[in-house]
């Protein structure tokens, strides 16, 4: 970008990748994530960033509220007759790219099978490195719910992608 | 009796257990192979998730979003790549968007543990390999030290990425390399020197892993134990420059032409 941004806009630019990944966890695919990202930025610019907030959690809360309160219902209706795309589909064309013990296709497939609630908490904690408390604040759920959803998401990912170690009791 | 289910193991991995609980779990992990396997599987699941999401960073952000933030209605002619912000460690270098899709796919398949030259038999991760006095020759980490140029991010398998930071000759004439291994929940910083054909670990320190969206920058502090070790080993000499390093690697870490 060749134009100098004002400070508040620059703060949003600095967290755009984080908002975008979080949006992808909610929508499950990049095209819808970019629509949600655009709506989020519009809302942030319209309402302004309060001076005393941490920028990233604030932006993610705006994104989350837009998704659950406005966008998801519309999208579910629109998608009722078609199969949605998956995270990473636009980039990752191979079926057998290996990440550790799993292939990307396996990871994609399992994430696709999860609910947006589970994907979102997994993204915040495992990808963005949020504490449970901060993830709970962004998602507006109790910390205990973060823990249980996270455990379910991770268990699902392990079981369905065939990397599960022996379960401990 | 505490039940170490996935929720508790995950909380341990995320640094959310109390010190007392973490210590209790570590005691169990020391003696319970199945529990360790489950923890490793959880870490692998997280590592794979991070890599998948990191791949999104290589895709250009819609122009409409960037224009809103610029407050500029003028439309540029081309798509703006968005690698500068938030790309994962493996995708650090800004590159032309025309190459970025191939780059992402290409990097993701650089997996030394499944190299065409044959499977590795050690069955240990690179974080485990670097914790030994001598790095097992049958590991992706050994192969990285032998062959990879400094600054190249290497997929070591098991959700780990490695990178040689610099190479130098120590005061005793051995070749040494400073390196970092990024695991799913912690990073290992080390200095290893080549004795004969083996890489000996001279110094080792751990830090918490960076979130995937963050860059490891040149200004990021290296653990003091590592810089101290490098200073002591290198004496007054300089690290190898790119050309010298390339030559030494191609000569199998020998100065003989």
């Amino acid at each position: 970008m060749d134009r100098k941004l004002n400070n508040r806009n620059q703060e949003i630019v600095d967290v755009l990748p984080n908002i975008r990944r979080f949006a992808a966890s909610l929508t499950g695919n990049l095209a819808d994530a970019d629509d949600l990202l655009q709506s989020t930025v519009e809302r942030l610019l319209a309402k302004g960033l309060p001076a005393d907030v941490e920028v990233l959690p604030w932006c993610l809360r705006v994104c989350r509220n837009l998704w659950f309160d406005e966008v998801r219902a519309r999208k579910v209706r629109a998608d009722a007759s078609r199969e949605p795309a998956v995270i990473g589909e636009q980039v990752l064309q191979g079926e057998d790219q290996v990440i550790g013990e799993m292939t990307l296709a396996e990871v994609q497939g399992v994430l696709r099978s999860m609910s947006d609630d589970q994907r979102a908490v997994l993204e915040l904690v495992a990808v963005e490195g949020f504490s449970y408390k901060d993830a709970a604040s962004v998602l507006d759920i109790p910390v205990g719910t973060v823990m249980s959803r996270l455990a379910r998401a991770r268990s699902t990912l392990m079981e369905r992608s065939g990397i599960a170690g022996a379960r401990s009791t | 009796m505490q039940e170490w289910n996935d929720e508790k193991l995950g909380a341990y991995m995320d640094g959310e257990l109390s010190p007392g609980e973490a210590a209790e779990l570590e005691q169990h992990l020391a003696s319970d192979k199945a529990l360790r396997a489950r923890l490793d599987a959880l870490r692998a699941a997280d590592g794979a998730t991070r890599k998948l999401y990191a791949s999104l960073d290589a895709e250009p952000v819609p122009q409409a979003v960037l224009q809103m933030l610029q407050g500029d209605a003028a439309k540029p002619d081309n798509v703006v790549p968005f690698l500068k912000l938030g790309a994962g460690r493996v995708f650090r270098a800004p590159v032309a968007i025309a190459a970025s899709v191939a780059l992402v796919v290409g990097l993701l398949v650089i997996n030394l543990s499944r190299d065409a030259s044959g499977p590795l038999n050690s069955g240990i991760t690179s974080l485990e390999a670097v914790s030994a006095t001598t790095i097992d020759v049958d590991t992706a980490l050994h192969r990285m030290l032998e062959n990879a140029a400094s600054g190249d991010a290497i997929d070591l398998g098991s959700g780990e990425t490695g990178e040689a930071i610099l190479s130098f000759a120590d005061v005793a004439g051995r070749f040494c390399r400073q390196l970092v291994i990024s695991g799913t929940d912690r990073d290992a910083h080390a200095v290893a020197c080549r004795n004969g054909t083996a890489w000996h670990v001279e110094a080792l320190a751990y830090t918490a892993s960076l979130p995937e969206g963050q860059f490891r920058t040149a200004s990021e502090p290296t653990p003091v134990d590592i810089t101290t070790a490098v200073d002591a080993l290198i004496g007054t000499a300089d690290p190898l420059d790119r050309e010298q390093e390339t030559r030494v690697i191609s000569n199998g870490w020998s100065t003989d032409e």
Side-chain angles (χ1 to χ4, degrees):
Chain A
M1 298 170 79
D2 50 8
R3 177 177 290 245
K4 187 170 173 59
L5 300 170
N6 68 43
N7 287 343
R8 296 309 268 173
N9 285 15
Q10 183 62 53
E11 285 181 276
I12 297 172
V13 168
D14 289 345
V15 297
L16 269 185
N18 309 75
I19 305 174
R20 195 184 197 207
R21 290 191 295 262
F22 179 62
S25 78
L26 294 170
T27 65
N29 71 82
L30 188 57
D32 288 328
D34 279 343
D35 289 345
L36 180 58
L37 174 71
Q38 183 166 346
S39 300
T40 303
V41 171
E42 277 171 0
R43 181 67 57 92
L44 288 166
L45 291 176
K47 301 279 184 186
L49 272 178
D52 56 347
V53 297
E54 277 192 75
V55 174
L56 178 57
W58 179 270
C59 293
L60 297 186
R61 270 193 293 274
V62 169
C63 180
R64 178 251 171 223
N65 291 343
L66 273 171
W67 173 250
F68 284 110
D69 298 345
E70 299 179 27
V71 180
R72 181 168 67 165
R74 287 202 308 268
K75 191 182 132 40
V76 166
R77 284 195 295 275
D79 283 349
S81 60
R82 67 182 173 88
E83 191 78 352
V86 292
I87 295 169
E89 183 176 71
Q90 291 82 351
V91 181
L92 306 162
Q93 296 146 356
E95 291 294 311
D96 57 352
Q97 296 153 28
V98 177
I99 300 179
E101 300 298 319
M102 283 181 276
T103 67
L104 269 183
E106 286 169 337
V107 180
Q108 285 174 331
V110 178
L111 285 176
R112 180 182 185 171
S113 72
M114 288 182 195
S115 68
D116 48 6
D117 289 325
Q118 284 186 22
R119 280 196 307 261
V121 77
L122 182 64
E123 198 277 337
L124 285 178
V125 174
V127 180
E128 305 301 337
F130 274 46
S131 69
Y132 291 179
K133 186 179 164 203
D134 289 344
S137 170
V138 167
L139 297 171
D140 198 21
I141 56 177
V143 169
T145 307
V146 167
M147 292 179 73
S148 56
R149 278 186 193 166
L150 189 57
R152 275 202 303 278
R154 283 169 166 160
S155 299
T156 302
L157 193 48
M158 288 187 297
E159 312 294 346
R160 296 195 191 163
S161 55
I163 61 157
R167 182 181 287 281
S168 152
T169 54
Chain B
M1 168 121 181
Q2 175 73 265
E3 182 191 347
W4 298 109
N5 54 23
D6 286 347
E7 198 169 297
K8 288 285 184 186
L9 286 172
Y12 172 71
M13 200 166 71
D14 299 326
E16 298 272 355
L17 284 187
S18 70
E21 278 186 310
E24 190 184 342
L25 174 55
E26 281 164 2
Q27 278 190 344
H28 282 273
L29 284 170
S31 59
D32 187 338
K33 195 174 172 185
L35 196 61
R36 284 201 302 277
R38 190 72 183 169
L39 182 62
D40 287 345
L42 278 164
R43 285 175 169 151
D46 271 22
T49 304
R50 277 193 285 273
K51 290 211 171 180
L52 186 64
Y53 277 99
S55 68
L56 299 183
D57 294 339
E59 284 288 285
V61 164
Q63 276 297 314
V65 173
L66 298 173
Q67 283 163 11
M68 276 192 292
L69 287 162
Q70 280 182 305
D72 186 349
K75 293 188 177 179
D77 297 332
N78 58 342
V79 176
V80 176
F82 201 62
L83 289 170
K84 177 174 155 283
L85 302 167
R89 270 164 276 166
V90 177
F91 313 118
R92 225 167 314 174
V95 295
I97 194 62
S100 69
V101 171
L103 174 72
V104 170
V105 173
L107 282 175
L108 286 172
V109 295
I110 296 174
N111 186 315
L112 293 176
S113 65
R114 305 207 181 193
D115 191 291
S117 61
L120 297 167
N121 300 320
S122 67
I124 60 174
T125 67
S126 294
L127 281 175
E128 289 166 342
V130 80
S131 66
T133 309
T134 301
I135 293 167
D136 190 329
V137 295
D138 198 16
T139 57
L141 181 60
H142 178 83
R143 202 171 291 184
M144 181 190 91
L145 285 168
E146 286 284 297
N147 302 314
S150 294
D152 285 355
I154 301 295
D155 187 343
L156 297 169
S158 304
E160 296 174 329
T161 306
E163 181 182 327
I165 306 294
L166 57 85
S167 304
F168 57 94
D170 77 354
V171 291
R174 300 177 302 173
F175 284 113
C176 303
R177 307 195 82 179
Q178 183 188 338
L179 65 139
V180 60
I181 301 162
S182 301
T184 51
D185 62 340
R186 63 178 178 162
D187 295 349
H189 304 255
V191 181
C193 294
R194 201 170 188 273
N195 284 355
T197 57
W199 288 94
H200 287 229
V201 179
E202 304 287 332
L204 179 62
Y206 294 100
T207 57
S209 290
L210 292 177
E212 191 68 28
Q214 290 185 13
F215 294 100
R216 182 176 299 287
T217 64
S219 60
E220 187 187 340
T222 300
V224 67
D225 289 351
I226 302 303
T227 51
T228 303
V230 171
D231 287 346
L233 289 162
I234 199 170
T236 56
D238 291 324
L240 303 183
D241 62 26
R242 186 75 170 191
E243 188 182 330
Q244 291 168 327
E245 184 188 80
T246 304
R247 193 162 57 240
V248 169
I249 288 174
S250 63
N251 284 340
W253 295 93
S254 164
T255 49
D256 302 329
E257 297 292 333

